[in-house]
């Protein structure tokens, strides 16, 4: 099946990034997209924005992109109108497929968790569907492919972890980049120069890791000569597994919050 006609209920920063990439890559045509937002946003030319869904036949797919806290409001307002849509995709953090199925009657329900770099085709999209038509799953997979790495997660119980690792991950990395730059500034580098160097260092290192045939852990050891300056810095990060423990705590806190939102949605 094809997903040519799309309705997006809520299209903020993440939905807008996905939509721009879809249109730029040619997998979606702007004229096939209808968006419901509380107010018009800066979106690609040719898409239709309104406060309500259009009359006429159902689209191929409806994507829910509002805030998770608006789930009941949106279900009450649009549930009957979208009943029977072949594919329902939700990018709502913490809202489980069973909860969606209680509020919306649709063919295949797919949970999707993208992250912000999808806008440049370098993102990660986690997907989960408890069942549904294989053709629908393939169509969703093809739709998401231009956004970056697409990973299907069979166990929905792990989706909160995916959300924390990949969905929230850019936020954590931006903090790391900022801290890396600040460390250089603290030792005398101009702030703007330190920031440029930190961003370029992370960008190049990530690209190298993506194309390497060994793990990032091995790459780190290859950078660090015995007794050298890199090893001295790694000794700080590795002491008592300080960095690993910090990130485990970070991901765990984000995962717990996703679980709390799931409980609230139930």
């Amino acid at each position: 099946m094809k997903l040519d006609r799309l309705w997006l209920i809520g299209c903020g920063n993440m939905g807008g990034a996905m939509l721009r990439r879809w249109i730029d890559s040619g997998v979606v045509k702007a004229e096939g997209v209808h968006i419901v937002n509380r107010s018009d946003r800066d979106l690609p030319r040719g898409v239709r924005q309104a406060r309500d869904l259009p009359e006429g036949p159902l689209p191929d797919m409806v994507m829910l992109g509002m805030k998770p806290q608006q789930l009941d409001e949106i279900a009450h307002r649009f549930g009957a109108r979208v009943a029977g849509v072949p594919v329902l995709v939700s990018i709502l953090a913490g809202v489980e497929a069973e909860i969606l199925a209680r509020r919306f009657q649709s063919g295949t329900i797919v949970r999707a968790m993208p992250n912000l770099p999808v806008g440049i085709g370098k993102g990660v999209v986690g997907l989960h569907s408890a069942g549904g038509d294989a053709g629908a799953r393939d169509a969703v997979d093809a739709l998401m492919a231009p956004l970056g790495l697409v990973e299907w997660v069979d166990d929905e119980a792990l989706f909160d972890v995916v959300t924390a690792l990949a969905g929230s991950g850019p936020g954590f990395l931006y903090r790391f980049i900022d801290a890396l730059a600040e460390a250089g500034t603290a030792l005398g580098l101009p702030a703007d120069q330190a920031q440029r160097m930190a961003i370029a260092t992370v960008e190049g290192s990530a690209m190298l890791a993506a194309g390497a045939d060994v793990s990032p852990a091995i790459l780190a050891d290859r950078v660090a000569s015995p007794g050298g300056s890199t090893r001295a810095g790694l000794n700080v990060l590795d002491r008592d597994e300080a960095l690993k423990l910090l990130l485990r705590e970070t991901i765990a806190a984000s995962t717990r919050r996703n679980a709390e939102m799931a409980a609230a949605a139930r």
Side-chain angles (χ1 to χ4, degrees):
M1 65 178 296
K2 291 186 177 182
L3 302 178
D4 295 326
R5 294 179 57 249
L6 313 179
W7 290 354
L8 277 59
I9 301 178
C11 188
N13 292 334
M14 185 63 72
M18 298 170 75
L19 180 60
R20 289 185 186 89
R21 180 61 183 168
W22 285 336
I23 292 174
D24 289 346
S25 63
V27 297
V28 169
K29 295 185 182 300
E31 55 268 26
V33 178
H34 186 98
I35 296 167
V36 174
N37 268 338
R38 289 180 170 178
S39 60
D40 283 355
R41 300 178 66 96
D42 182 17
L43 294 172
R45 183 187 301 272
V47 304
R48 292 169 293 167
Q49 297 190 68
R51 308 299 156 252
D52 207 343
L53 293 173
E55 299 295 328
L58 290 171
D60 303 307
M61 183 187 89
V62 170
M63 187 170 87
L64 303 177
M66 67 286 182
K67 296 182 184 301
Q69 296 86 347
Q70 296 176 277
L71 178 63
D72 285 335
E73 172 193 345
I74 294 299
H76 177 75
R77 185 176 174 193
F78 296 123
R81 177 68 184 95
V82 303
V85 69
V87 179
L88 178 74
V89 172
S90 167
I91 62 171
L92 309 184
V95 180
E96 298 160 333
E98 180 183 354
I99 304 305
L100 295 167
R102 290 179 190 172
R103 291 164 171 80
F104 299 94
Q105 297 178 4
S106 65
T108 299
I109 293 178
V110 178
R111 289 187 66 186
M113 182 43 60
N115 62 15
L116 205 51
V118 296
I120 58 171
K122 294 293 183 180
V124 176
V125 185
L127 297 174
H128 170 79
S129 180
D133 179 77
R137 287 172 58 105
D138 289 344
V140 171
D141 194 286
L143 179 69
M144 300 298 174
L147 304 182
L149 175 69
V150 178
E151 293 280 348
W152 285 90
V153 180
D154 293 332
D155 185 356
E156 190 177 13
L158 295 176
F159 214 73
D160 287 342
V161 183
V162 172
T163 302
L165 175 64
S168 301
F172 307 147
L173 283 172
Y174 297 147
R175 277 283 190 265
F176 175 83
I177 294 170
D178 184 64
L180 189 64
E182 193 279 332
T185 301
L187 293 175
L189 285 175
D192 59 338
Q193 186 177 53
Q195 184 178 89
R196 289 194 300 271
M197 294 175 70
I199 292 171
T201 297
V202 172
E203 179 186 23
S205 300
M207 292 178 66
L208 183 61
D213 57 359
V214 295
S215 71
I218 293 176
L219 289 177
D221 287 333
R222 286 182 178 176
V223 175
S225 302
S229 60
T230 304
R231 177 54 62 190
L234 285 176
N235 287 342
V236 175
L237 296 178
D238 295 344
R239 187 182 303 136
D240 298 324
E241 295 194 323
L243 180 61
K244 288 184 178 180
L245 291 174
L246 177 63
L247 287 176
R248 287 175 193 164
E249 184 179 346
T250 299
I251 299 300
S254 184
T255 301
R256 285 194 299 271
R257 180 55 187 151
N258 289 323
E260 290 169 0
M261 289 191 291
R266 293 190 202 107

